[in-house]
Amino acid sequence: MQKFISAFLVMMILAMVTMVASAQSAVPDFKAYLQGVSEYFQADPAEVQEVASYLTRTDEVPVAYMVARKAGVDPMVLAQARYDGAKWGDLLRKYGVGTDLFHVEVRGFVPSAVYQPILDKFPEEQPDAWATAPLTDRDMLNLANLIFIRDHYGYSMYRVMAMRDKGKGFPAIQSEAWAVAQGPEAKRKTAKAGF
């Protein structure tokens, strides 16, 4: 009986360790995500962290930096306005920035439940209307992150769209894009580091 209890306890401990390890691997790496944003926008990592601290969602940071760069304002000003309840659309209008800032070039229909409705707001035959496309805050978040991940890592925007459709958050998508950008050679060097 004592052997059975000991074996049971060992199995329970192993199961708990496995659950904790898998839960930790599912946790998005916000630090790495913000590092990527910092690199892409060539911004001080401490500043990016501070901007993120004012935003409701960490993955709004690319929106803040894209709008700030286009408007010629400090991203912290935008983050503080968001903290005070401002909508992204209101901030774009305030600083004279059009929603064409978030336009991405695609050909034809994209089978994406998340992105196709957004892309439909940019009619191909009316590029003059892109600056006033009726984007929601979520639309801007999705497009800004798509642009950031695509351009910074050279990652397929269609893969980003597919992962977003499957419910993945942008820190997780960024992590995968970063790993792909490192390539197999970089992965081998990393695996051997310190040994």
Side-chain angles (χ1 to χ4, degrees), residues 97-158:
V97 176
T99 51
D100 56 337
L101 172 66
F102 302 103
H103 178 261
V104 292
E105 191 70 37
V106 295
R107 291 197 173 117
F109 179 80
V110 177
S112 169
V114 172
Y115 282 95
Q116 189 57 54
I118 301 170
L119 298 172
D120 287 343
K121 296 177 183 182
F122 294 102
E124 279 186 50
E125 66 282 352
Q126 298 174 345
D128 294 343
W130 296 349
T132 57
L135 299 182
T136 65
D137 286 355
R138 183 170 294 279
D139 293 344
M140 291 182 224
L141 176 138
N142 281 309
L143 290 171
N145 277 282
L146 174 70
I147 293 165
F148 151 57
I149 293 169
R150 176 197 68 191
D151 293 354
H152 187 52
Y153 299 103
Y155 198 68
S156 165
M157 68 179 175
Y158 300 104

Side-chain angles (χ1 to χ4, degrees), residues 4 37 47 68 70 82 100 110 130 133 136 138 143-144 156 164 170-171 184 195:
F4 175 75
V37 172
E47 174 193 90
K70 183 72 172 179
R82 283 289 288 163
D100 56 337
V110 177
W130 296 349
T136 65
R138 183 170 294 279
L143 290 171
S156 165
R164 194 71 170 142
F170 286 111
F195 293 102

Side-chain angles (χ1 to χ4, degrees), residues 54-56 60 77-88 91 137:
Y54 279 87
L55 298 170
T56 308
E60 284 189 324
V77 170
L78 298 173
Q80 289 171 336
R82 283 289 288 163
Y83 182 79
D84 291 338
K87 299 271 187 199
W88 283 119
L91 293 170
D137 286 355

Side-chain angles (χ1 to χ4, degrees), residues 5 8 22 25 27 32 39 45 69 81 128 159 163 165 185 187:
I5 293 174
F8 179 75
S22 66
S25 68
V27 174
E39 292 166 2
R69 294 279 163 89
D128 294 343
R159 282 187 178 175
M163 287 191 282
D165 280 343
E185 187 61 32
K187 287 180 186 175

